Amino acid sequence: MKNLIKRLTETFGPSGSEGPIRETIRKEVEPFVDEIKVDALGNLICFKKGSGGKKVLLDAHMDEIGLMVTHIDENGFLRFGSIGGVNPAVSLGQRVYFENGTFGVIGCERIEDPKDLRLNKLYIDIGAGSREEASKKVRVGDSAAFFQPAIGLGNRMVAKAMDDRIGCVVIIEALKGLGATNHDIYAVFATQEEVGLRGARVAAFGINPDVGIAFDVTGTGDTPKSSTMDVSLGKGAAIKVKDSSLICHPGLRDYLVKLAEEKGISYQMEVLERGGTDSGAIQMARAGIPAGVISIPSRYIHSPSEMVDIGDVEACVKLCVAACESPLEF
Ligand code: CO
Ligand code: ZN
């Protein structure tokens, strides 16, 4: 599984430029599903046929946060805007790369006060000496992702784009472990979550599932002087109660808790005070879909070094398999 995490997190795919990550995931899931299609927004929808059960949507977003070039100045420096929530403090000094393999580093204008550190003070230096030279490699509107190799730290891993390639890993591993199921399973690797849950919204409309479960990272409250949050790394799958995009279906939430207890899967309850997930869009699709979230606890979310615990990831995989194999009556 660690190799799969490395492959997925190291693949390029900011929101709207999910081509490379979509192809990587397609290769991984192909042997385990019956049908694969790509919709107009670029969602990868993988169907595993059941035998007359419910329609179950499993969602993880495959896009990652990134940067988009807005201007190339006469000396060849690139100005950029953010794709999703990019923090200037963790961006400074980072290396970034474009889909065509061009690399750059993030520099900053001279600022008097650290409080003035904002994205519009930063630029990307791709080593070009002029606008003309830079324009041969990069154009306005091109997207860049952080460049960081994935590393293991004991039973933990650190990588860029753990949000939400780790959710993609959970679904892929669950599909591998899943035998014939009663339910029709629609595994959706969604686009454009980081810019507003957009891929999941149309996928849920198209599939019209009976139940939707998203898999995404959530924050933790276990680092020095962090904000209070009752989720820790290493304490198991986080069953979401609420975030800023949804209040999870209480029946489904309690059902997942009961399932975790029955199967001896370690879990913790999650209330995320800031941030949303694809289930927020799934829940509001059509006339409303019962939706929940199984979250992977993660430190340093939206930085180029997001950390997860492998034990937690395994707990999420087990809970996903258990849910797919259960009657899902709640
Ligand atoms: Co995110
Ligand atoms: Zn996410």
Side-chain angles (χ1 to χ4, degrees), residues 61 63-65 85 163-164 193-194 216-217 276 301-302 306:
H61 69 88
D63 61 312
E64 63 183 304
I65 56 167
D163 175 10
D164 183 27
E193 188 271 356
E194 297 292 357
D216 203 345
V217 295
I301 293 175
H302 284 204
E306 300 173 321

Side-chain angles (χ1 to χ4, degrees), residues 87-90 92 108-122:
N87 179 343
V90 301
L92 186 55
C108 187
E109 292 173 21
R110 197 182 119 93
I111 50 173
E112 299 298 336
D113 187 332
K115 287 201 183 90
D116 295 333
L117 181 60
R118 281 191 290 273
L119 286 184
N120 62 11
K121 301 286 183 194
L122 305 180

Side-chain angles (χ1 to χ4, degrees), residues 55-57 186 203-212 282 285-286 288-290:
K55 284 165 85 170
V56 179
L57 192 170
Y186 293 83
F205 186 95
I207 294 164
N208 192 19
D210 299 305
V211 184
I282 295 166
R286 294 195 176 244
I289 310 277

Side-chain angles (χ1 to χ4, degrees), residues 12-184:
F12 184 89
S15 314
S17 306
E18 294 95 347
I21 184 62
R22 181 169 50 243
E23 291 319 303
T24 301
I25 293 174
R26 183 202 293 270
K27 284 192 202 95
E28 298 290 341
V29 292
E30 228 156 24
F32 309 105
V33 296
D34 299 308
E35 231 174 84
I36 297 185
K37 65 171 196 178
V38 176
D39 71 10
L41 263 78
N43 292 307
L44 185 72
I45 300 175
C46 309
F47 176 61
K48 180 174 159 61
K49 187 149 182 50
S51 49
K54 294 176 189 272
K55 284 165 85 170
V56 179
L57 192 170
L58 307 176
D59 165 284
H61 69 88
M62 61 181 165
D63 61 312
E64 63 183 304
I65 56 167
L67 314 172
M68 185 178 279
V69 176
T70 53
H71 174 72
I72 304 174
D73 79 14
E74 67 224 32
N75 296 316
F77 295 103
L78 319 179
R79 294 292 176 160
F80 60 88
S82 71
I83 302 170
V86 175
N87 179 343
V90 301
S91 304
L92 186 55
Q94 286 294 325
R95 298 164 192 204
V96 299
Y97 70 117
F98 291 84
E99 191 173 348
N100 68 4
T102 299
F103 281 85
V105 297
I106 298 179
C108 187
E109 292 173 21
R110 197 182 119 93
I111 50 173
E112 299 298 336
D113 187 332
K115 287 201 183 90
D116 295 333
L117 181 60
R118 281 191 290 273
L119 286 184
N120 62 11
K121 301 286 183 194
L122 305 180
Y123 55 83
I124 302 170
D125 184 343
I126 58 168
S130 66
R131 179 183 287 143
E132 198 196 355
E133 195 186 338
S135 301
K136 286 178 186 150
K137 295 176 168 175
V138 171
R139 288 180 310 171
V140 167
D142 283 355
S143 298
F146 288 117
F147 176 75
Q148 280 285 358
I151 54 168
L153 295 174
N155 204 38
R156 293 173 174 176
M157 274 187 87
V158 174
K160 67 123 173 124
M162 211 55 108
D163 175 10
D164 183 27
R165 306 289 163 69
I166 199 65
C168 300
V169 167
V170 168
I171 294 179
I172 293 167
E173 291 290 331
L175 288 172
K176 282 182 193 167
L178 205 56
T181 54
N182 188 25
H183 303 308
D184 282 343

Side-chain angles (χ1 to χ4, degrees), residues 236-237 265-267 294 310-320:
I265 300 165
S266 56
Y267 75 95
I294 297 173
I310 299 299
D312 294 340
V313 181
E314 282 164 351
C316 292
V317 174
K318 282 185 198 150
L319 192 50
C320 180

